[in-house]
Every structure is written in structure tokens, then in C-alpha cells.
Amino acid sequence: MHFTMSDTLDDIEKRWRKGVLPFAVIAVLGKGPVHGYGLALALRDVLGAAIPEGTLYPLLNGLERDGLAVAEWTIQESGPARKIYALTPAGRDVLGEAAARWGAFNQNLGKLIP
Amino acid sequence: MNRWTDISDAGARAVFADYFAKVDRLLAPRASEAAADVRRELEQHALDALAGGTSAPEALERLGAPEDFLPDLVAEKLRTRAARSLMPGHIARALAISASTGVTGLVVSSLAGLGYAVALLALIMGVMHLIDPDSAGVYRMPDGQTLIGFGKSPGDVDIYGHWFSPIAFAVAAGLYLILTLAFGWVKIRKPEGRGRQHMTD
């Protein structure tokens, strides 16, 4: 039994998608409050088909627990109640720092890719 | 649309019924506010996808198999709640649910459970010492060894005397607090599996 090239590439891609997901979630929340499905829509290109949207909820729960995001059920004028997530000031600080680190990381990685 | 039962298409309703039966099965032993919150949110997510033009099977496939993410999510919510409330009932529930999520959860819960058992023992010893100082304490035996335990034997010296109970209560309370906060904030992660494998030979 061995891995085909396609498997290896799929595996690499899945891992980097998973790796950047927490940062991507914070980045989307940084644009403004959003509910779970809205977040999934914004992240479709990042998630790809390999990562189920349900995995966003443990991530959101972790952000809430760590004080980086707050969540509140909001009843809208039309439509059902939705749980809306928003970054806290601590979450905004993390986003700023993560963005700076991502920029440096991306630049360094770029030097390695032919 | 507020509930999947409001879906007019019978086929889509059947797909949702099947999916949320699984969700309910997974959440059943976790009946709590946290579980209800999770269910409501997942339901709204899938209904939003449906309203956006996605078919019912695709909407639920995108959401993922509930058994892949639900148990860990609910266990984590219960641990957080326990750390915030410090209530024994919440802690017991979080321990039980976390233990059922996998080997890592079982190990972490067992270690935490052991710690709580020690805290309980310290509490019991403190109370017993208050009632009868010879029933529990820290004793120096005639051969010079120190013993923490129940029942003073002839010749044993009660080392802490009246201080034993306050010390035991402080140990019990401190251990309870530290364990609960640590257990509440610990991130239990499952080891990641390898990707798809193809048998080529």
C-alpha cells in the first residue's frame, strides 16, 4: 500500500486549508458580525469540499471561550433568530497580529516556491 | 423558515428528518441548554443553505456528518460551562460527556476524576477530624514515619492538631478550583487521521 501523487497533494491541500482556517474565520469576523452560515459562505473558497462547514462551530466556540469573539442570538424583523458572532477587542488585536505574521510567513514561503 | 418541519418539499423534509434524527441521537445524552443551542444553530445553518438555493442533500453534506464534530463541540461547551459555574452537577456532566468522546477525552476525564476524588477525600477527612480528631489526620508514627489517613493508633502523634481541618478544607477547595478551571479550559484534540488511502497493489 502506498500513497498516489493525487492523494499526497489532496492531503497537503487539506492540511493547509485546515491550518489557515482559524485565521480565516477571525479575518471574516473582522469584517463585521456574521452568523454561522454567512461565515461558511464567505469561507467556501478556503474550506473547499474537504472541510465540512460543521467544523466551523467548534472553532467559533473556541473563539468565544477564549474571549476573542462574542455570540448572541438575534431576532430579526423578518426571518428566524440567528446566532451572530462578532470579534471582541481582544479578537481584533489577535487579527491584527495574525495578519502581520501571515504577511511575513507568506513572503518567506514565496521565496521557496520556484 | 424556522424549523425543518416547515419545509414543504417531502423529499427534502425526509433528508432533513434523517439528518436531525442523527443530531438528536448524538445530543440525547447531552440534554442541556448547550445541546439545544447547538441543534438550533445547525438547523438554521442548513435552512439558510436551502433558502439560498442549495438542495437538501447538498446542504447537509456541506455541513458534514454530525458524528464528526458534534460530540466534541458539546463536550467543550459543557466543560466551559462547568469552569464558569463551578457547580458539581455541571462538572460531573462535563466529565461524563468528555470521557465518551474518545481515548484522549477518557484519559483527561479520568485524571480529572482522580483529582476530584482526592479533593473529596480531603474534605471528608477535614470533616471527620472536626468531629473526632482521632478519626483522621496527619500522624507521626512511633517509628518516625508520617501517615495521612484515617484512625489514630496508640503512640501516633497528631502533627497538625486543630489546624488539620482548615488545611484539609483549603486543599479540597484549592484542588477543586484548579481542576475545574483547568478542565474547563483544556482543549481536547483528537489525533488527526491520514488522508484517503488507495490500495494500488
Side-chain angles (χ1 to χ4, degrees), chain A residues 1-3 10-11 37 44 53-54 57 65 73 80 82-83 85, chain B residues 2 37 41 44-45 48-49 62-63 76 185 187 194 196-198 200:
Chain A
M1 181 175 68
H2 65 268
F3 292 95
D10 285 350
D11 197 35
Y37 180 65
R44 281 239 161 120
E53 291 170 359
Y57 292 100
R65 184 202 53 206
W73 282 97
R82 285 189 173 82
K83 196 174 182 182
Y85 295 86
Chain B
N2 285 319
D37 206 47
E41 204 171 9
Q44 199 49 57
H45 184 122
D48 280 343
R62 278 187 177 277
L63 201 48
E76 196 161 307
W185 297 109
K187 294 176 186 178
R194 193 77 166 82
R196 281 181 297 129
Q197 294 180 14
H198 284 190
T200 52

PDB file of all heavy atoms in Angstrom, chain A residues 1-3 10-11 37 44 53-54 57 65 73 80 82-83 85, chain B residues 2 37 41 44-45 48-49 62-63 76 185 187 194 196-198 200:
ATOM      1  N   MET A   1       0.848  -1.195   0.000  1.00  0.00           N
ATOM      2  CA  MET A   1       0.000   0.000   0.000  1.00  0.00           C
ATOM      3  C   MET A   1       0.889   1.253   0.000  1.00  0.00           C
ATOM      4  O   MET A   1       1.828   1.333   0.784  1.00  0.00           O
ATOM      5  CB  MET A   1      -0.877  -0.009   1.266  1.00  0.00           C
ATOM      6  CG  MET A   1      -1.812   1.160   1.348  1.00  0.00           C
ATOM      7  SD  MET A   1      -2.906   1.040   2.766  1.00  0.00           S
ATOM      8  CE  MET A   1      -1.781   1.252   4.108  1.00  0.00           C
ATOM      9  N   HIS A   2       0.640   2.173  -0.890  1.00  0.00           N
ATOM     10  CA  HIS A   2       1.353   3.444  -0.825  1.00  0.00           C
ATOM     11  C   HIS A   2       0.432   4.563  -1.329  1.00  0.00           C
ATOM     12  O   HIS A   2      -0.614   4.303  -1.911  1.00  0.00           O
ATOM     13  CB  HIS A   2       2.652   3.367  -1.627  1.00  0.00           C
ATOM     14  CG  HIS A   2       2.442   3.176  -3.096  1.00  0.00           C
ATOM     15  ND1 HIS A   2       2.400   1.927  -3.658  1.00  0.00           N
ATOM     16  CD2 HIS A   2       2.257   4.053  -4.093  1.00  0.00           C
ATOM     17  CE1 HIS A   2       2.206   2.059  -4.960  1.00  0.00           C
ATOM     18  NE2 HIS A   2       2.099   3.345  -5.240  1.00  0.00           N
ATOM     19  N   PHE A   3       0.879   5.779  -1.107  1.00  0.00           N
ATOM     20  CA  PHE A   3       0.050   6.919  -1.481  1.00  0.00           C
ATOM     21  C   PHE A   3       0.346   7.349  -2.907  1.00  0.00           C
ATOM     22  O   PHE A   3       1.512   7.403  -3.312  1.00  0.00           O
ATOM     23  CB  PHE A   3       0.321   8.092  -0.529  1.00  0.00           C
ATOM     24  CG  PHE A   3      -0.159   7.806   0.845  1.00  0.00           C
ATOM     25  CD1 PHE A   3       0.689   7.299   1.801  1.00  0.00           C
ATOM     26  CD2 PHE A   3      -1.490   8.012   1.180  1.00  0.00           C
ATOM     27  CE1 PHE A   3       0.251   7.002   3.062  1.00  0.00           C
ATOM     28  CE2 PHE A   3      -1.940   7.720   2.438  1.00  0.00           C
ATOM     29  CZ  PHE A   3      -1.075   7.224   3.377  1.00  0.00           C
ATOM     30  N   ASP A  10      -3.762  15.982  -2.305  1.00  0.00           N
ATOM     31  CA  ASP A  10      -5.040  16.216  -1.601  1.00  0.00           C
ATOM     32  C   ASP A  10      -4.790  16.392  -0.110  1.00  0.00           C
ATOM     33  O   ASP A  10      -5.379  17.249   0.545  1.00  0.00           O
ATOM     34  CB  ASP A  10      -5.993  15.035  -1.805  1.00  0.00           C
ATOM     35  CG  ASP A  10      -6.589  15.029  -3.204  1.00  0.00           C
ATOM     36  OD1 ASP A  10      -6.408  16.039  -3.917  1.00  0.00           O
ATOM     37  OD2 ASP A  10      -7.211  14.020  -3.579  1.00  0.00           O
ATOM     38  N   ASP A  11      -3.896  15.550   0.410  1.00  0.00           N
ATOM     39  CA  ASP A  11      -3.601  15.585   1.830  1.00  0.00           C
ATOM     40  C   ASP A  11      -2.929  16.902   2.213  1.00  0.00           C
ATOM     41  O   ASP A  11      -3.288  17.536   3.213  1.00  0.00           O
ATOM     42  CB  ASP A  11      -2.681  14.405   2.173  1.00  0.00           C
ATOM     43  CG  ASP A  11      -2.663  14.137   3.662  1.00  0.00           C
ATOM     44  OD1 ASP A  11      -3.706  14.310   4.294  1.00  0.00           O
ATOM     45  OD2 ASP A  11      -1.590  13.790   4.183  1.00  0.00           O
ATOM     46  N   TYR A  37     -23.845  30.453   8.944  1.00  0.00           N
ATOM     47  CA  TYR A  37     -23.970  30.175   7.516  1.00  0.00           C
ATOM     48  C   TYR A  37     -23.293  31.271   6.685  1.00  0.00           C
ATOM     49  O   TYR A  37     -22.644  30.990   5.668  1.00  0.00           O
ATOM     50  CB  TYR A  37     -25.449  30.039   7.133  1.00  0.00           C
ATOM     51  CG  TYR A  37     -25.637  29.743   5.660  1.00  0.00           C
ATOM     52  CD1 TYR A  37     -25.167  28.548   5.117  1.00  0.00           C
ATOM     53  CD2 TYR A  37     -26.251  30.667   4.814  1.00  0.00           C
ATOM     54  CE1 TYR A  37     -25.314  28.277   3.759  1.00  0.00           C
ATOM     55  CE2 TYR A  37     -26.405  30.403   3.461  1.00  0.00           C
ATOM     56  CZ  TYR A  37     -25.934  29.203   2.942  1.00  0.00           C
ATOM     57  OH  TYR A  37     -26.060  28.935   1.604  1.00  0.00           O
ATOM     58  N   ARG A  44     -16.177  29.650   1.685  1.00  0.00           N
ATOM     59  CA  ARG A  44     -16.308  28.495   0.781  1.00  0.00           C
ATOM     60  C   ARG A  44     -15.018  28.202   0.019  1.00  0.00           C
ATOM     61  O   ARG A  44     -14.614  27.046  -0.086  1.00  0.00           O
ATOM     62  CB  ARG A  44     -17.441  28.725  -0.215  1.00  0.00           C
ATOM     63  CG  ARG A  44     -18.784  28.447   0.421  1.00  0.00           C
ATOM     64  CD  ARG A  44     -19.565  27.366  -0.278  1.00  0.00           C
ATOM     65  NE  ARG A  44     -20.585  26.881   0.628  1.00  0.00           N
ATOM     66  CZ  ARG A  44     -21.884  26.921   0.389  1.00  0.00           C
ATOM     67  NH1 ARG A  44     -22.324  27.403  -0.748  1.00  0.00           N
ATOM     68  NH2 ARG A  44     -22.737  26.446   1.277  1.00  0.00           N
ATOM     69  N   GLU A  53     -18.644  22.228   6.752  1.00  0.00           N
ATOM     70  CA  GLU A  53     -18.965  23.515   7.380  1.00  0.00           C
ATOM     71  C   GLU A  53     -19.262  23.361   8.874  1.00  0.00           C
ATOM     72  O   GLU A  53     -19.091  24.306   9.637  1.00  0.00           O
ATOM     73  CB  GLU A  53     -20.153  24.151   6.642  1.00  0.00           C
ATOM     74  CG  GLU A  53     -19.778  24.596   5.243  1.00  0.00           C
ATOM     75  CD  GLU A  53     -20.952  25.018   4.375  1.00  0.00           C
ATOM     76  OE1 GLU A  53     -22.112  24.946   4.845  1.00  0.00           O
ATOM     77  OE2 GLU A  53     -20.715  25.403   3.222  1.00  0.00           O
ATOM     78  N   GLY A  54     -19.678  22.182   9.275  1.00  0.00           N
ATOM     79  CA  GLY A  54     -19.961  21.942  10.693  1.00  0.00           C
ATOM     80  C   GLY A  54     -18.741  22.158  11.571  1.00  0.00           C
ATOM     81  O   GLY A  54     -18.873  22.485  12.742  1.00  0.00           O
ATOM     82  N   TYR A  57     -18.205  25.379  13.744  1.00  0.00           N
ATOM     83  CA  TYR A  57     -18.839  25.645  15.039  1.00  0.00           C
ATOM     84  C   TYR A  57     -17.914  25.355  16.230  1.00  0.00           C
ATOM     85  O   TYR A  57     -17.888  26.154  17.172  1.00  0.00           O
ATOM     86  CB  TYR A  57     -20.196  24.924  15.121  1.00  0.00           C
ATOM     87  CG  TYR A  57     -21.164  25.561  14.151  1.00  0.00           C
ATOM     88  CD1 TYR A  57     -21.432  24.998  12.910  1.00  0.00           C
ATOM     89  CD2 TYR A  57     -21.738  26.794  14.434  1.00  0.00           C
ATOM     90  CE1 TYR A  57     -22.267  25.621  11.996  1.00  0.00           C
ATOM     91  CE2 TYR A  57     -22.577  27.434  13.535  1.00  0.00           C
ATOM     92  CZ  TYR A  57     -22.841  26.838  12.313  1.00  0.00           C
ATOM     93  OH  TYR A  57     -23.653  27.474  11.417  1.00  0.00           O
ATOM     94  N   ARG A  65     -14.937  30.965  23.800  1.00  0.00           N
ATOM     95  CA  ARG A  65     -14.377  30.548  25.090  1.00  0.00           C
ATOM     96  C   ARG A  65     -13.109  31.334  25.424  1.00  0.00           C
ATOM     97  O   ARG A  65     -12.870  31.691  26.569  1.00  0.00           O
ATOM     98  CB  ARG A  65     -14.074  29.053  25.026  1.00  0.00           C
ATOM     99  CG  ARG A  65     -13.568  28.477  26.337  1.00  0.00           C
ATOM    100  CD  ARG A  65     -12.801  27.218  26.088  1.00  0.00           C
ATOM    101  NE  ARG A  65     -11.763  27.464  25.105  1.00  0.00           N
ATOM    102  CZ  ARG A  65     -11.249  26.535  24.313  1.00  0.00           C
ATOM    103  NH1 ARG A  65     -11.721  25.316  24.361  1.00  0.00           N
ATOM    104  NH2 ARG A  65     -10.282  26.825  23.461  1.00  0.00           N
ATOM    105  N   TRP A  73     -27.837  35.456  20.233  1.00  0.00           N
ATOM    106  CA  TRP A  73     -28.995  35.144  19.400  1.00  0.00           C
ATOM    107  C   TRP A  73     -29.730  36.442  19.106  1.00  0.00           C
ATOM    108  O   TRP A  73     -30.070  37.182  20.019  1.00  0.00           O
ATOM    109  CB  TRP A  73     -29.927  34.165  20.108  1.00  0.00           C
ATOM    110  CG  TRP A  73     -29.433  32.760  20.053  1.00  0.00           C
ATOM    111  CD1 TRP A  73     -28.737  32.100  21.010  1.00  0.00           C
ATOM    112  CD2 TRP A  73     -29.566  31.854  18.958  1.00  0.00           C
ATOM    113  NE1 TRP A  73     -28.427  30.837  20.581  1.00  0.00           N
ATOM    114  CE2 TRP A  73     -28.930  30.654  19.339  1.00  0.00           C
ATOM    115  CE3 TRP A  73     -30.171  31.924  17.698  1.00  0.00           C
ATOM    116  CZ2 TRP A  73     -28.868  29.545  18.495  1.00  0.00           C
ATOM    117  CZ3 TRP A  73     -30.111  30.824  16.868  1.00  0.00           C
ATOM    118  CH2 TRP A  73     -29.464  29.654  17.265  1.00  0.00           C
ATOM    119  N   PRO A  80     -36.015  33.949  10.895  1.00  0.00           N
ATOM    120  CA  PRO A  80     -35.803  33.330  12.210  1.00  0.00           C
ATOM    121  C   PRO A  80     -34.664  33.968  13.000  1.00  0.00           C
ATOM    122  O   PRO A  80     -33.897  34.770  12.458  1.00  0.00           O
ATOM    123  CB  PRO A  80     -35.432  31.893  11.824  1.00  0.00           C
ATOM    124  CG  PRO A  80     -34.809  32.034  10.475  1.00  0.00           C
ATOM    125  CD  PRO A  80     -35.461  33.198   9.800  1.00  0.00           C
ATOM    126  N   ARG A  82     -31.095  34.188  14.682  1.00  0.00           N
ATOM    127  CA  ARG A  82     -29.784  33.675  14.278  1.00  0.00           C
ATOM    128  C   ARG A  82     -28.753  34.036  15.333  1.00  0.00           C
ATOM    129  O   ARG A  82     -28.830  35.098  15.946  1.00  0.00           O
ATOM    130  CB  ARG A  82     -29.361  34.281  12.941  1.00  0.00           C
ATOM    131  CG  ARG A  82     -30.086  33.698  11.768  1.00  0.00           C
ATOM    132  CD  ARG A  82     -29.471  34.163  10.472  1.00  0.00           C
ATOM    133  NE  ARG A  82     -30.074  33.477   9.347  1.00  0.00           N
ATOM    134  CZ  ARG A  82     -31.211  33.832   8.797  1.00  0.00           C
ATOM    135  NH1 ARG A  82     -31.869  34.867   9.266  1.00  0.00           N
ATOM    136  NH2 ARG A  82     -31.703  33.156   7.774  1.00  0.00           N
ATOM    137  N   LYS A  83     -27.803  33.136  15.484  1.00  0.00           N
ATOM    138  CA  LYS A  83     -26.723  33.407  16.426  1.00  0.00           C
ATOM    139  C   LYS A  83     -25.639  34.172  15.675  1.00  0.00           C
ATOM    140  O   LYS A  83     -25.067  33.663  14.709  1.00  0.00           O
ATOM    141  CB  LYS A  83     -26.175  32.100  16.981  1.00  0.00           C
ATOM    142  CG  LYS A  83     -25.349  32.278  18.226  1.00  0.00           C
ATOM    143  CD  LYS A  83     -24.963  30.930  18.798  1.00  0.00           C
ATOM    144  CE  LYS A  83     -24.180  31.083  20.087  1.00  0.00           C
ATOM    145  NZ  LYS A  83     -23.773  29.778  20.617  1.00  0.00           N
ATOM    146  N   TYR A  85     -22.058  36.157  15.502  1.00  0.00           N
ATOM    147  CA  TYR A  85     -20.730  36.207  16.121  1.00  0.00           C
ATOM    148  C   TYR A  85     -20.043  37.520  15.755  1.00  0.00           C
ATOM    149  O   TYR A  85     -20.144  37.977  14.610  1.00  0.00           O
ATOM    150  CB  TYR A  85     -19.863  35.048  15.634  1.00  0.00           C
ATOM    151  CG  TYR A  85     -20.383  33.705  16.054  1.00  0.00           C
ATOM    152  CD1 TYR A  85     -21.351  33.034  15.301  1.00  0.00           C
ATOM    153  CD2 TYR A  85     -19.920  33.092  17.218  1.00  0.00           C
ATOM    154  CE1 TYR A  85     -21.834  31.797  15.695  1.00  0.00           C
ATOM    155  CE2 TYR A  85     -20.399  31.860  17.618  1.00  0.00           C
ATOM    156  CZ  TYR A  85     -21.357  31.217  16.850  1.00  0.00           C
ATOM    157  OH  TYR A  85     -21.831  29.997  17.248  1.00  0.00           O
TER     158      TYR A  85
ATOM    159  N   ASN B   2     -38.331  28.617  10.149  1.00  0.00           N
ATOM    160  CA  ASN B   2     -37.749  28.443  11.475  1.00  0.00           C
ATOM    161  C   ASN B   2     -37.320  27.009  11.766  1.00  0.00           C
ATOM    162  O   ASN B   2     -36.373  26.787  12.516  1.00  0.00           O
ATOM    163  CB  ASN B   2     -38.753  28.857  12.545  1.00  0.00           C
ATOM    164  CG  ASN B   2     -38.879  30.356  12.625  1.00  0.00           C
ATOM    165  OD1 ASN B   2     -37.895  31.068  12.545  1.00  0.00           O
ATOM    166  ND2 ASN B   2     -40.097  30.832  12.757  1.00  0.00           N
ATOM    167  N   ASP B  37     -28.770  24.685  22.017  1.00  0.00           N
ATOM    168  CA  ASP B  37     -28.175  25.815  21.310  1.00  0.00           C
ATOM    169  C   ASP B  37     -27.488  25.337  20.021  1.00  0.00           C
ATOM    170  O   ASP B  37     -27.655  25.922  18.956  1.00  0.00           O
ATOM    171  CB  ASP B  37     -27.128  26.433  22.247  1.00  0.00           C
ATOM    172  CG  ASP B  37     -26.898  27.898  21.968  1.00  0.00           C
ATOM    173  OD1 ASP B  37     -27.882  28.621  21.839  1.00  0.00           O
ATOM    174  OD2 ASP B  37     -25.723  28.290  21.883  1.00  0.00           O
ATOM    175  N   GLU B  41     -28.641  26.040  16.043  1.00  0.00           N
ATOM    176  CA  GLU B  41     -27.713  26.713  15.144  1.00  0.00           C
ATOM    177  C   GLU B  41     -27.462  25.888  13.871  1.00  0.00           C
ATOM    178  O   GLU B  41     -27.432  26.423  12.763  1.00  0.00           O
ATOM    179  CB  GLU B  41     -26.390  26.961  15.878  1.00  0.00           C
ATOM    180  CG  GLU B  41     -25.615  28.095  15.285  1.00  0.00           C
ATOM    181  CD  GLU B  41     -24.421  28.500  16.124  1.00  0.00           C
ATOM    182  OE1 GLU B  41     -24.088  27.800  17.098  1.00  0.00           O
ATOM    183  OE2 GLU B  41     -23.814  29.521  15.778  1.00  0.00           O
ATOM    184  N   GLN B  44     -30.546  26.061  11.656  1.00  0.00           N
ATOM    185  CA  GLN B  44     -30.646  27.333  10.942  1.00  0.00           C
ATOM    186  C   GLN B  44     -29.637  27.411   9.803  1.00  0.00           C
ATOM    187  O   GLN B  44     -29.938  27.910   8.719  1.00  0.00           O
ATOM    188  CB  GLN B  44     -30.462  28.504  11.918  1.00  0.00           C
ATOM    189  CG  GLN B  44     -30.994  29.818  11.392  1.00  0.00           C
ATOM    190  CD  GLN B  44     -32.414  29.673  10.855  1.00  0.00           C
ATOM    191  OE1 GLN B  44     -33.313  29.242  11.555  1.00  0.00           O
ATOM    192  NE2 GLN B  44     -32.612  29.995   9.573  1.00  0.00           N
ATOM    193  N   HIS B  45     -28.464  26.861  10.038  1.00  0.00           N
ATOM    194  CA  HIS B  45     -27.417  26.838   9.004  1.00  0.00           C
ATOM    195  C   HIS B  45     -27.934  26.085   7.764  1.00  0.00           C
ATOM    196  O   HIS B  45     -27.847  26.576   6.634  1.00  0.00           O
ATOM    197  CB  HIS B  45     -26.178  26.141   9.566  1.00  0.00           C
ATOM    198  CG  HIS B  45     -24.987  26.134   8.646  1.00  0.00           C
ATOM    199  ND1 HIS B  45     -23.786  26.666   8.998  1.00  0.00           N
ATOM    200  CD2 HIS B  45     -24.820  25.665   7.375  1.00  0.00           C
ATOM    201  CE1 HIS B  45     -22.914  26.533   8.004  1.00  0.00           C
ATOM    202  NE2 HIS B  45     -23.527  25.915   7.004  1.00  0.00           N
ATOM    203  N   ASP B  48     -30.786  27.935   6.018  1.00  0.00           N
ATOM    204  CA  ASP B  48     -30.270  29.084   5.265  1.00  0.00           C
ATOM    205  C   ASP B  48     -29.707  28.616   3.924  1.00  0.00           C
ATOM    206  O   ASP B  48     -29.900  29.264   2.890  1.00  0.00           O
ATOM    207  CB  ASP B  48     -29.167  29.808   6.054  1.00  0.00           C
ATOM    208  CG  ASP B  48     -29.735  30.725   7.122  1.00  0.00           C
ATOM    209  OD1 ASP B  48     -30.930  31.051   7.045  1.00  0.00           O
ATOM    210  OD2 ASP B  48     -28.982  31.109   8.040  1.00  0.00           O
ATOM    211  N   ALA B  49     -28.994  27.480   3.956  1.00  0.00           N
ATOM    212  CA  ALA B  49     -28.429  26.942   2.707  1.00  0.00           C
ATOM    213  C   ALA B  49     -29.543  26.561   1.750  1.00  0.00           C
ATOM    214  O   ALA B  49     -29.466  26.831   0.538  1.00  0.00           O
ATOM    215  CB  ALA B  49     -27.564  25.727   3.023  1.00  0.00           C
ATOM    216  N   ARG B  62     -22.605  19.439   2.970  1.00  0.00           N
ATOM    217  CA  ARG B  62     -21.648  20.523   3.238  1.00  0.00           C
ATOM    218  C   ARG B  62     -21.464  20.732   4.741  1.00  0.00           C
ATOM    219  O   ARG B  62     -20.382  21.073   5.206  1.00  0.00           O
ATOM    220  CB  ARG B  62     -22.132  21.831   2.602  1.00  0.00           C
ATOM    221  CG  ARG B  62     -21.808  21.940   1.131  1.00  0.00           C
ATOM    222  CD  ARG B  62     -22.162  23.327   0.633  1.00  0.00           C
ATOM    223  NE  ARG B  62     -21.807  23.509  -0.751  1.00  0.00           N
ATOM    224  CZ  ARG B  62     -20.581  23.835  -1.165  1.00  0.00           C
ATOM    225  NH1 ARG B  62     -19.622  24.019  -0.295  1.00  0.00           N
ATOM    226  NH2 ARG B  62     -20.335  23.977  -2.448  1.00  0.00           N
ATOM    227  N   LEU B  63     -22.558  20.579   5.465  1.00  0.00           N
ATOM    228  CA  LEU B  63     -22.490  20.748   6.923  1.00  0.00           C
ATOM    229  C   LEU B  63     -21.615  19.654   7.546  1.00  0.00           C
ATOM    230  O   LEU B  63     -20.887  19.893   8.505  1.00  0.00           O
ATOM    231  CB  LEU B  63     -23.909  20.695   7.494  1.00  0.00           C
ATOM    232  CG  LEU B  63     -24.179  21.299   8.863  1.00  0.00           C
ATOM    233  CD1 LEU B  63     -23.598  22.685   9.013  1.00  0.00           C
ATOM    234  CD2 LEU B  63     -25.683  21.331   9.108  1.00  0.00           C
ATOM    235  N   GLU B  76     -17.041  20.294  24.829  1.00  0.00           N
ATOM    236  CA  GLU B  76     -16.274  21.512  25.107  1.00  0.00           C
ATOM    237  C   GLU B  76     -17.171  22.592  25.726  1.00  0.00           C
ATOM    238  O   GLU B  76     -16.772  23.287  26.649  1.00  0.00           O
ATOM    239  CB  GLU B  76     -15.640  22.016  23.813  1.00  0.00           C
ATOM    240  CG  GLU B  76     -14.532  23.015  24.069  1.00  0.00           C
ATOM    241  CD  GLU B  76     -13.592  23.177  22.884  1.00  0.00           C
ATOM    242  OE1 GLU B  76     -13.072  22.163  22.405  1.00  0.00           O
ATOM    243  OE2 GLU B  76     -13.408  24.319  22.449  1.00  0.00           O
ATOM    244  N   TRP B 185     -10.845  24.701  30.582  1.00  0.00           N
ATOM    245  CA  TRP B 185     -10.153  25.413  29.502  1.00  0.00           C
ATOM    246  C   TRP B 185      -9.250  24.517  28.669  1.00  0.00           C
ATOM    247  O   TRP B 185      -8.665  24.978  27.694  1.00  0.00           O
ATOM    248  CB  TRP B 185      -9.348  26.580  30.081  1.00  0.00           C
ATOM    249  CG  TRP B 185     -10.257  27.566  30.732  1.00  0.00           C
ATOM    250  CD1 TRP B 185     -10.382  27.792  32.070  1.00  0.00           C
ATOM    251  CD2 TRP B 185     -11.226  28.418  30.106  1.00  0.00           C
ATOM    252  NE1 TRP B 185     -11.366  28.732  32.309  1.00  0.00           N
ATOM    253  CE2 TRP B 185     -11.893  29.128  31.127  1.00  0.00           C
ATOM    254  CE3 TRP B 185     -11.611  28.635  28.775  1.00  0.00           C
ATOM    255  CZ2 TRP B 185     -12.911  30.040  30.868  1.00  0.00           C
ATOM    256  CZ3 TRP B 185     -12.622  29.546  28.518  1.00  0.00           C
ATOM    257  CH2 TRP B 185     -13.249  30.233  29.562  1.00  0.00           C
ATOM    258  N   LYS B 187      -8.067  22.017  25.912  1.00  0.00           N
ATOM    259  CA  LYS B 187      -8.562  21.765  24.562  1.00  0.00           C
ATOM    260  C   LYS B 187      -8.261  20.315  24.223  1.00  0.00           C
ATOM    261  O   LYS B 187      -7.101  19.957  24.029  1.00  0.00           O
ATOM    262  CB  LYS B 187      -7.877  22.691  23.553  1.00  0.00           C
ATOM    263  CG  LYS B 187      -8.228  24.135  23.768  1.00  0.00           C
ATOM    264  CD  LYS B 187      -7.458  25.028  22.824  1.00  0.00           C
ATOM    265  CE  LYS B 187      -7.729  26.492  23.155  1.00  0.00           C
ATOM    266  NZ  LYS B 187      -6.986  27.402  22.309  1.00  0.00           N
ATOM    267  N   ARG B 194      -4.739  10.119   8.683  1.00  0.00           N
ATOM    268  CA  ARG B 194      -4.110  10.329   7.387  1.00  0.00           C
ATOM    269  C   ARG B 194      -5.216  10.485   6.367  1.00  0.00           C
ATOM    270  O   ARG B 194      -6.365  10.127   6.585  1.00  0.00           O
ATOM    271  CB  ARG B 194      -3.250   9.075   7.078  1.00  0.00           C
ATOM    272  CG  ARG B 194      -2.294   9.232   5.944  1.00  0.00           C
ATOM    273  CD  ARG B 194      -1.066  10.058   6.383  1.00  0.00           C
ATOM    274  NE  ARG B 194       0.010   9.945   5.402  1.00  0.00           N
ATOM    275  CZ  ARG B 194       0.071  10.656   4.292  1.00  0.00           C
ATOM    276  NH1 ARG B 194      -0.870  11.495   3.981  1.00  0.00           N
ATOM    277  NH2 ARG B 194       1.091  10.511   3.487  1.00  0.00           N
ATOM    278  N   ARG B 196      -7.034  10.055   2.465  1.00  0.00           N
ATOM    279  CA  ARG B 196      -7.533   8.857   1.789  1.00  0.00           C
ATOM    280  C   ARG B 196      -6.372   7.982   1.348  1.00  0.00           C
ATOM    281  O   ARG B 196      -5.333   8.450   0.917  1.00  0.00           O
ATOM    282  CB  ARG B 196      -8.333   9.253   0.543  1.00  0.00           C
ATOM    283  CG  ARG B 196      -9.727   9.703   0.844  1.00  0.00           C
ATOM    284  CD  ARG B 196     -10.441  10.053  -0.420  1.00  0.00           C
ATOM    285  NE  ARG B 196      -9.813  11.170  -1.087  1.00  0.00           N
ATOM    286  CZ  ARG B 196      -9.475  11.148  -2.365  1.00  0.00           C
ATOM    287  NH1 ARG B 196      -9.658  10.085  -3.101  1.00  0.00           N
ATOM    288  NH2 ARG B 196      -8.925  12.210  -2.919  1.00  0.00           N
ATOM    289  N   GLN B 197      -6.558   6.709   1.456  1.00  0.00           N
ATOM    290  CA  GLN B 197      -5.509   5.800   1.038  1.00  0.00           C
ATOM    291  C   GLN B 197      -6.028   4.911  -0.089  1.00  0.00           C
ATOM    292  O   GLN B 197      -7.158   4.470  -0.053  1.00  0.00           O
ATOM    293  CB  GLN B 197      -5.072   4.912   2.211  1.00  0.00           C
ATOM    294  CG  GLN B 197      -4.409   5.696   3.309  1.00  0.00           C
ATOM    295  CD  GLN B 197      -3.989   4.802   4.451  1.00  0.00           C
ATOM    296  OE1 GLN B 197      -3.960   3.602   4.309  1.00  0.00           O
ATOM    297  NE2 GLN B 197      -3.666   5.403   5.576  1.00  0.00           N
ATOM    298  N   HIS B 198      -5.212   4.698  -1.062  1.00  0.00           N
ATOM    299  CA  HIS B 198      -5.592   3.821  -2.169  1.00  0.00           C
ATOM    300  C   HIS B 198      -4.721   2.587  -2.161  1.00  0.00           C
ATOM    301  O   HIS B 198      -3.507   2.680  -2.061  1.00  0.00           O
ATOM    302  CB  HIS B 198      -5.404   4.554  -3.510  1.00  0.00           C
ATOM    303  CG  HIS B 198      -6.484   5.548  -3.776  1.00  0.00           C
ATOM    304  ND1 HIS B 198      -6.628   6.159  -4.980  1.00  0.00           N
ATOM    305  CD2 HIS B 198      -7.463   6.037  -2.995  1.00  0.00           C
ATOM    306  CE1 HIS B 198      -7.658   6.999  -4.939  1.00  0.00           C
ATOM    307  NE2 HIS B 198      -8.162   6.933  -3.737  1.00  0.00           N
ATOM    308  N   THR B 200      -2.948   0.189  -4.162  1.00  0.00           N
ATOM    309  CA  THR B 200      -2.563   0.162  -5.568  1.00  0.00           C
ATOM    310  C   THR B 200      -1.952  -1.170  -5.981  1.00  0.00           C
ATOM    311  O   THR B 200      -1.670  -1.390  -7.136  1.00  0.00           O
ATOM    312  CB  THR B 200      -1.549   1.280  -5.871  1.00  0.00           C
ATOM    313  OG1 THR B 200      -0.491   1.176  -4.942  1.00  0.00           O
ATOM    314  CG2 THR B 200      -2.188   2.639  -5.802  1.00  0.00           C
TER     315      THR B 200
END
